[in-house]
Short mmCIF file of all heavy atoms in Angstrom, two decimals:
data_model
loop_
_atom_site.label_atom_id
_atom_site.label_comp_id
_atom_site.label_asym_id
_atom_site.label_seq_id
_atom_site.Cartn_x
_atom_site.Cartn_y
_atom_site.Cartn_z
N VAL E 83 -12.57 -28.04 -19.45
CA VAL E 83 -12.22 -27.88 -20.86
C VAL E 83 -11.46 -29.10 -21.34
O VAL E 83 -10.63 -29.65 -20.62
CB VAL E 83 -11.35 -26.62 -21.03
CG1 VAL E 83 -10.98 -26.43 -22.48
CG2 VAL E 83 -12.08 -25.40 -20.49
N SER E 84 -11.73 -29.54 -22.54
CA SER E 84 -11.03 -30.72 -23.06
C SER E 84 -9.56 -30.38 -23.29
O SER E 84 -9.23 -29.25 -23.65
CB SER E 84 -11.66 -31.16 -24.38
OG SER E 84 -11.29 -30.28 -25.41
N PRO E 85 -8.70 -31.35 -23.07
CA PRO E 85 -7.26 -31.10 -23.19
C PRO E 85 -6.88 -30.45 -24.51
O PRO E 85 -6.06 -29.52 -24.53
CB PRO E 85 -6.66 -32.50 -23.09
CG PRO E 85 -7.67 -33.28 -22.32
CD PRO E 85 -9.02 -32.71 -22.67
N ALA E 86 -7.49 -30.90 -25.59
CA ALA E 86 -7.13 -30.36 -26.90
C ALA E 86 -7.41 -28.86 -26.97
O ALA E 86 -6.52 -28.08 -27.31
CB ALA E 86 -7.91 -31.10 -27.99
N THR E 87 -8.61 -28.46 -26.61
CA THR E 87 -8.95 -27.04 -26.66
C THR E 87 -8.07 -26.26 -25.71
O THR E 87 -7.59 -25.18 -26.03
CB THR E 87 -10.42 -26.82 -26.21
OG1 THR E 87 -11.10 -28.05 -26.26
CG2 THR E 87 -11.09 -25.80 -27.09
N ARG E 88 -7.89 -26.83 -24.54
CA ARG E 88 -7.11 -26.12 -23.54
C ARG E 88 -5.74 -25.78 -24.12
O ARG E 88 -5.27 -24.65 -24.00
CB ARG E 88 -6.95 -26.98 -22.30
CG ARG E 88 -6.45 -26.19 -21.11
CD ARG E 88 -6.05 -27.06 -19.98
NE ARG E 88 -7.00 -28.16 -19.80
CZ ARG E 88 -6.75 -29.24 -19.08
NH1 ARG E 88 -5.59 -29.36 -18.45
NH2 ARG E 88 -7.64 -30.20 -18.96
N GLU E 89 -5.13 -26.74 -24.75
CA GLU E 89 -3.81 -26.51 -25.31
C GLU E 89 -3.84 -25.39 -26.34
O GLU E 89 -2.97 -24.51 -26.35
CB GLU E 89 -3.30 -27.78 -25.98
CG GLU E 89 -2.13 -28.40 -25.26
CD GLU E 89 -1.81 -29.76 -25.81
OE1 GLU E 89 -1.43 -29.83 -27.00
OE2 GLU E 89 -1.99 -30.76 -25.08
N ARG E 90 -4.83 -25.44 -27.17
CA ARG E 90 -4.92 -24.42 -28.21
C ARG E 90 -5.04 -23.03 -27.59
O ARG E 90 -4.38 -22.08 -27.97
CB ARG E 90 -6.12 -24.70 -29.13
CG ARG E 90 -5.69 -24.91 -30.57
CD ARG E 90 -6.83 -25.34 -31.48
NE ARG E 90 -7.95 -25.95 -30.79
CZ ARG E 90 -9.20 -25.53 -30.87
NH1 ARG E 90 -9.49 -24.47 -31.60
NH2 ARG E 90 -10.16 -26.16 -30.22
N VAL E 91 -5.92 -22.96 -26.58
CA VAL E 91 -6.13 -21.67 -25.92
C VAL E 91 -4.85 -21.21 -25.23
O VAL E 91 -4.45 -20.06 -25.33
CB VAL E 91 -7.28 -21.78 -24.90
CG1 VAL E 91 -7.37 -20.52 -24.06
CG2 VAL E 91 -8.59 -22.04 -25.62
N GLU E 92 -4.21 -22.16 -24.57
CA GLU E 92 -2.99 -21.77 -23.86
C GLU E 92 -1.93 -21.26 -24.82
O GLU E 92 -1.20 -20.31 -24.52
CB GLU E 92 -2.46 -22.95 -23.03
CG GLU E 92 -3.13 -23.00 -21.67
CD GLU E 92 -2.98 -24.35 -20.97
OE1 GLU E 92 -2.40 -25.27 -21.57
OE2 GLU E 92 -3.48 -24.48 -19.83
N ALA E 93 -1.85 -21.89 -25.96
CA ALA E 93 -0.89 -21.44 -26.97
C ALA E 93 -1.22 -20.00 -27.39
O ALA E 93 -0.33 -19.15 -27.50
CB ALA E 93 -0.92 -22.37 -28.17
N ALA E 94 -2.50 -19.74 -27.59
CA ALA E 94 -2.92 -18.40 -28.00
C ALA E 94 -2.57 -17.38 -26.92
O ALA E 94 -2.09 -16.28 -27.20
CB ALA E 94 -4.41 -18.39 -28.29
N ILE E 95 -2.83 -17.75 -25.67
CA ILE E 95 -2.52 -16.86 -24.55
C ILE E 95 -1.04 -16.51 -24.56
O ILE E 95 -0.64 -15.34 -24.47
CB ILE E 95 -2.89 -17.52 -23.20
CG1 ILE E 95 -4.40 -17.61 -23.06
CG2 ILE E 95 -2.27 -16.77 -22.04
CD1 ILE E 95 -4.88 -18.29 -21.80
N GLU E 96 -0.24 -17.54 -24.71
CA GLU E 96 1.21 -17.37 -24.73
C GLU E 96 1.62 -16.45 -25.88
O GLU E 96 2.35 -15.49 -25.72
CB GLU E 96 1.86 -18.76 -24.87
CG GLU E 96 3.37 -18.75 -24.81
CD GLU E 96 3.87 -18.20 -23.48
OE1 GLU E 96 3.13 -18.34 -22.46
OE2 GLU E 96 4.96 -17.63 -23.46
N LYS E 97 1.06 -16.76 -27.02
CA LYS E 97 1.45 -16.02 -28.23
C LYS E 97 1.09 -14.53 -28.12
O LYS E 97 1.88 -13.67 -28.48
CB LYS E 97 0.71 -16.64 -29.42
CG LYS E 97 0.95 -15.94 -30.75
CD LYS E 97 1.25 -16.93 -31.87
CE LYS E 97 1.56 -16.20 -33.16
NZ LYS E 97 0.51 -16.43 -34.18
N LEU E 98 -0.08 -14.26 -27.59
CA LEU E 98 -0.52 -12.86 -27.50
C LEU E 98 -0.03 -12.20 -26.22
O LEU E 98 -0.32 -11.03 -25.97
CB LEU E 98 -2.05 -12.80 -27.55
CG LEU E 98 -2.69 -13.24 -28.86
CD1 LEU E 98 -4.20 -13.19 -28.76
CD2 LEU E 98 -2.21 -12.34 -30.00
N ARG E 99 0.66 -12.96 -25.38
CA ARG E 99 1.08 -12.43 -24.08
C ARG E 99 -0.10 -11.85 -23.33
O ARG E 99 -0.04 -10.74 -22.77
CB ARG E 99 2.13 -11.34 -24.28
CG ARG E 99 3.41 -11.92 -24.79
CD ARG E 99 4.41 -10.85 -25.05
NE ARG E 99 5.68 -11.46 -25.36
CZ ARG E 99 6.72 -10.78 -25.80
NH1 ARG E 99 6.63 -9.50 -25.98
NH2 ARG E 99 7.85 -11.39 -26.07
N PHE E 100 -1.16 -12.62 -23.36
CA PHE E 100 -2.39 -12.14 -22.72
C PHE E 100 -2.27 -12.20 -21.20
O PHE E 100 -1.87 -13.21 -20.64
CB PHE E 100 -3.56 -13.00 -23.20
CG PHE E 100 -4.80 -12.83 -22.37
CD1 PHE E 100 -5.51 -11.64 -22.41
CD2 PHE E 100 -5.26 -13.86 -21.57
CE1 PHE E 100 -6.66 -11.48 -21.65
CE2 PHE E 100 -6.40 -13.71 -20.81
CZ PHE E 100 -7.10 -12.51 -20.85
N VAL E 101 -2.58 -11.09 -20.55
CA VAL E 101 -2.66 -11.05 -19.09
C VAL E 101 -4.06 -10.56 -18.76
O VAL E 101 -4.46 -9.49 -19.21
CB VAL E 101 -1.63 -10.08 -18.50
CG1 VAL E 101 -1.77 -10.01 -17.00
CG2 VAL E 101 -0.23 -10.50 -18.88
N PRO E 102 -4.83 -11.32 -18.01
CA PRO E 102 -6.21 -10.94 -17.74
C PRO E 102 -6.30 -9.56 -17.11
O PRO E 102 -5.39 -9.14 -16.40
CB PRO E 102 -6.70 -12.00 -16.75
CG PRO E 102 -5.72 -13.10 -16.81
CD PRO E 102 -4.43 -12.54 -17.32
N HIS E 103 -7.34 -8.89 -17.37
CA HIS E 103 -7.56 -7.54 -16.88
C HIS E 103 -8.18 -7.61 -15.49
O HIS E 103 -9.35 -7.91 -15.32
CB HIS E 103 -8.50 -6.82 -17.84
CG HIS E 103 -8.58 -5.34 -17.61
ND1 HIS E 103 -9.00 -4.79 -16.43
CD2 HIS E 103 -8.28 -4.30 -18.42
CE1 HIS E 103 -8.97 -3.48 -16.53
NE2 HIS E 103 -8.53 -3.16 -17.72
N GLY E 104 -7.32 -7.32 -14.49
CA GLY E 104 -7.75 -7.47 -13.10
C GLY E 104 -9.00 -6.68 -12.76
O GLY E 104 -9.87 -7.14 -12.02
N THR E 105 -9.09 -5.48 -13.28
CA THR E 105 -10.23 -4.62 -12.95
C THR E 105 -11.53 -5.22 -13.49
O THR E 105 -12.53 -5.27 -12.79
CB THR E 105 -10.02 -3.22 -13.54
OG1 THR E 105 -8.76 -2.73 -13.10
CG2 THR E 105 -11.12 -2.29 -13.10
N ALA E 106 -11.47 -5.67 -14.73
CA ALA E 106 -12.68 -6.26 -15.32
C ALA E 106 -13.09 -7.50 -14.54
O ALA E 106 -14.26 -7.73 -14.25
CB ALA E 106 -12.42 -6.62 -16.78
N ARG E 107 -12.10 -8.27 -14.19
CA ARG E 107 -12.37 -9.47 -13.42
C ARG E 107 -13.05 -9.09 -12.10
O ARG E 107 -14.06 -9.66 -11.71
CB ARG E 107 -11.05 -10.19 -13.16
CG ARG E 107 -11.17 -11.37 -12.27
CD ARG E 107 -9.94 -12.27 -12.40
NE ARG E 107 -10.33 -13.65 -12.32
CZ ARG E 107 -10.51 -14.29 -11.15
NH1 ARG E 107 -10.35 -13.65 -10.02
NH2 ARG E 107 -10.88 -15.54 -11.15
N SER E 108 -12.49 -8.10 -11.43
CA SER E 108 -13.05 -7.69 -10.15
C SER E 108 -14.49 -7.23 -10.30
O SER E 108 -15.34 -7.52 -9.47
CB SER E 108 -12.24 -6.55 -9.55
OG SER E 108 -10.92 -6.95 -9.33
N LEU E 109 -14.74 -6.53 -11.38
CA LEU E 109 -16.10 -6.04 -11.58
C LEU E 109 -17.07 -7.22 -11.73
O LEU E 109 -18.13 -7.25 -11.11
CB LEU E 109 -16.17 -5.16 -12.82
CG LEU E 109 -17.57 -4.65 -13.17
CD1 LEU E 109 -18.14 -3.83 -12.03
CD2 LEU E 109 -17.53 -3.82 -14.45
N ALA E 110 -16.66 -8.18 -12.51
CA ALA E 110 -17.54 -9.33 -12.74
C ALA E 110 -17.72 -10.14 -11.47
O ALA E 110 -18.82 -10.57 -11.12
CB ALA E 110 -16.96 -10.20 -13.85
N ILE E 111 -16.61 -10.36 -10.77
CA ILE E 111 -16.64 -11.15 -9.55
C ILE E 111 -17.39 -10.43 -8.43
O ILE E 111 -18.02 -11.05 -7.59
CB ILE E 111 -15.20 -11.40 -9.04
CG1 ILE E 111 -14.40 -12.17 -10.07
CG2 ILE E 111 -15.19 -12.07 -7.71
CD1 ILE E 111 -14.62 -13.63 -10.03
N GLY E 112 -17.24 -9.13 -8.38
CA GLY E 112 -17.92 -8.37 -7.34
C GLY E 112 -16.97 -7.87 -6.26
O GLY E 112 -17.33 -7.09 -5.40
N SER E 113 -15.74 -8.33 -6.30
CA SER E 113 -14.76 -7.83 -5.33
C SER E 113 -13.38 -8.07 -5.89
O SER E 113 -13.20 -8.85 -6.80
CB SER E 113 -14.89 -8.56 -4.00
OG SER E 113 -14.48 -9.90 -4.16
#
Side-chain angles (χ1 to χ4, degrees):
Chain E
V83 180
S84 75
T87 344
R88 194 191 318 165
E89 248 171 64
R90 240 173 338 124
V91 171
E92 275 163 357
I95 290 178
E96 184 60 28
K97 177 134 183 248
L98 294 177
R99 292 177 172 171
F100 166 69
V101 178
H103 192 300
T105 306
R107 174 162 217 277
S108 299
L109 177 59
I111 298 278
S113 69

